[in-house]
Amino acid sequence: MAGGAVSNSTYTSTPGKGAKAGNYLLPFILVTSLFFLWGLAYGLLDVLNKHFQEVLNITPKRSTLLQGAYFGAYFIMALPAGMFMNKFGYKKGIIMGLLLYAAGAFLFYPAARALNFDFFLLALFILACGLACLETAANPYVTVLGEKETSEQRLNLSQCFNGLGSFLGPVIGGALFFGSGKDDLTTVQLTYIVIGVIVLLIAAFFYRTPLPEIKEAEAEGEAVMQDQRPLFAHKHFVWGVVAQFFYVAAQVGVGALFINYATEYWKGTSNEKGAYLLSAGMVLFLAGRFVGTALMRKIAPNKLLAIYALINVVLCAFVMTGNGAPAVYALILVFFFMSIMFPTIFALGVKDLGKHTKKGASFIVMSIVGGASVPYLMGIVTEWKSTAMAYGIPLLCFMVVFYYGWKGYRRS
């Protein structure tokens, strides 16, 4: 799920033992690895959705509860994670997130043995609580690991690795879950055990590596006066929370029923091929990050956000026609134009929040709960009308994102 303008607050750093002040390369690399980890978890989610429908014999509407558990955890955990990091720092917050991530991954093993969908929801909820900690820490942390003039590029670069993880997720899931020839959850068990072990190793590496602790410091003059205002007096932040809610709702909705859509409207498409088509969308999502970074040197981030959102409104309208392969290609193309939305909204939303930056970041991460509700609504529309008509819901969400890029981003 990132890049655009960033906060103009000033910062001070307290280097950890053995770290040189101002030398942020190693911390940047370590934190960027976290973007890959939560991208991988998200990339696997949509493949699990379809796999559970078949192995556990559940409906598409019920399977979207996976997204409900995953993104509901963000809503519940983001603010406590922000409070924890305010007290104990970014490093401890990251380690806590990694430990929760690993615990949730390991719980997939007994859940698969029990063939219990509710158990899977619990495991995924715990895993996503860890991801909420990681996102609450990593997004603002990357923006301040260096000069603020280049923070836009740093966030986009880190988010490129998030896109890489999101691309590899469907590829791994398609090959292991659908390509194994086994109609059971053995490969799901193995996949998440391996992920859990890797995450624990990374947590150990973070524990042993000194990281600079970044603290917001109040700026001089006018900025100080602005910082005295309550957080929710910043209208651009409030609209940022709203826009992020609807953007994540759209992103998750687009992916949640993607394989269902491809197999239903493109004749002859198997589940495995549908997973690979989804990974093609993730490739475009990744490519869009690089293209967006380049375009933002010429086009203001808010304008590019508005343009991309409007294009996705048109694409979703065509997807609603269910016009065979062309409509599937249009759905794949939606991923390209979603690529810059999360980071651009995030960066515009926390801009000039000063001492409120960490708390503001927590609220914007909480707004990811939009991804918990909309897929379920799409499942209802799918059962009531059709999968194609369900994509009218992301269309409406992209209209809200368009408004934020057009007017809502403006700071009072």
Side-chain angles (χ1 to χ4, degrees):
M1 296 171 177
V6 293
S7 173
N8 284 335
S9 307
T10 59
Y11 302 90
T12 60
S13 62
T14 305
K17 183 179 179 181
K20 294 181 179 179
N23 185 4
Y24 298 140
L25 179 59
L26 180 58
F28 176 76
I29 293 172
L30 283 175
V31 175
T32 296
S33 72
L34 303 178
F35 286 76
F36 175 83
L37 288 177
W38 78 66
L40 179 65
Y42 174 71
L44 285 168
L45 183 62
D46 296 330
V47 183
L48 283 175
N49 195 305
K50 180 62 173 175
H51 191 45
F52 285 160
Q53 288 175 34
E54 299 187 345
V55 177
L56 300 178
N57 194 28
I58 59 177
T59 65
K61 182 174 72 174
R62 181 161 169 74
S63 73
T64 59
L65 290 176
L66 286 171
Q67 278 76 15
Y70 186 94
F71 292 98
Y74 277 85
F75 178 76
I76 293 172
M77 194 65 186
L79 195 56
M83 294 169 64
F84 180 89
M85 282 179 285
N86 271 332
K87 185 172 182 179
F88 298 106
Y90 283 112
K91 181 177 178 177
K92 290 182 179 179
I94 288 170
I95 292 173
M96 180 176 69
L98 289 169
L99 292 178
L100 286 170
Y101 189 160
F106 288 135
L107 284 176
F108 268 65
Y109 187 87
R113 284 184 64 85
L115 292 176
N116 189 314
F117 182 67
D118 293 333
F119 200 160
F120 275 115
L121 293 179
L122 174 63
L124 191 62
F125 177 83
I126 293 172
L127 184 153
C129 282
L131 299 183
C133 294
L134 298 183
E135 289 219 40
T136 303
N139 280 299
Y141 195 44
V142 165
T143 65
V144 297
L145 277 175
E147 297 295 330
K148 64 181 180 181
E149 291 80 9
T150 58
S151 55
E152 172 182 290
Q153 291 92 326
R154 285 195 304 277
L155 187 53
N156 269 288
L157 179 58
S158 293
Q159 287 286 352
C160 287
F161 287 87
N162 172 262
L164 178 62
S166 298
F167 156 67
L168 289 177
V171 173
I172 293 170
L176 295 180
F177 304 162
F178 298 135
S180 65
K182 296 181 179 180
D183 193 21
D184 59 27
L185 297 174
T186 304
T187 53
V188 172
Q189 289 177 309
L190 177 62
T191 300
Y192 278 88
I193 286 295
V194 172
I195 289 174
V197 170
I198 292 173
V199 170
L200 279 182
L201 291 174
I202 293 175
F205 197 66
F206 265 96
Y207 178 77
R208 296 180 61 87
T209 304
L211 294 180
E213 184 59 33
I214 309 297
K215 298 180 180 180
E216 291 84 358
E218 293 187 358
E220 299 293 334
E222 184 180 352
V224 174
M225 296 299 295
Q226 291 177 347
D227 283 350
Q228 303 311 307
R229 294 183 298 160
L231 174 61
F232 284 90
H234 298 265
K235 291 184 179 179
H236 73 286
F237 159 74
V238 175
W239 272 109
V241 172
V242 173
Q244 200 72 288
F245 176 94
F246 283 100
Y247 161 67
V248 176
Q251 179 190 348
V252 177
V254 166
L257 296 180
F258 181 95
I259 298 176
N260 290 74
Y261 186 93
T263 54
E264 184 177 345
Y265 294 100
W266 190 344
K267 189 176 180 180
T269 300
S270 64
N271 288 331
E272 185 177 359
K273 181 180 177 181
Y276 293 147
L277 289 171
L278 177 59
S279 69
M282 294 302 183
V283 170
L284 288 180
F285 190 83
L286 176 59
R289 291 265 163 83
F290 288 103
V291 174
T293 302
L295 289 177
M296 284 183 189
R297 296 176 181 175
K298 302 291 183 181
I299 304 173
N302 67 286
K303 290 183 180 179
L304 195 63
L305 178 67
I307 293 169
Y308 275 22
L310 195 58
I311 291 172
N312 270 352
V313 168
V314 175
L315 288 172
C316 284
F318 184 67
V319 169
M320 290 175 67
T321 66
N323 188 22
V328 175
Y329 284 129
L331 186 54
I332 293 172
L333 195 56
V334 168
F335 285 91
F336 179 88
F337 294 104
M338 288 195 299
S339 61
I340 67 161
M341 292 185 180
F342 181 90
T344 305
I345 294 170
F346 185 96
L348 290 172
V350 300
K351 189 170 185 179
D352 290 337
L353 292 185
K355 65 183 180 181
H356 299 304
T357 300
K358 283 183 181 177
K359 190 173 182 181
S362 296
F363 278 107
I364 293 181
V365 172
M366 282 179 67
S367 69
I368 290 175
V369 72
S373 54
V374 165
Y376 190 75
L377 292 177
M378 291 179 69
I380 293 175
V381 174
T382 295
E383 294 185 2
W384 174 54
K385 279 288 187 179
S386 67
T387 307
M389 290 302 296
Y391 278 88
I393 296 177
L395 183 154
L396 296 175
C397 293
F398 285 126
M399 290 180 68
V400 177
V401 177
F402 167 76
Y403 176 80
Y404 186 66
W406 178 38
K407 286 187 176 181
Y409 77 97
R410 295 175 181 171
R411 299 184 300 283
S412 55

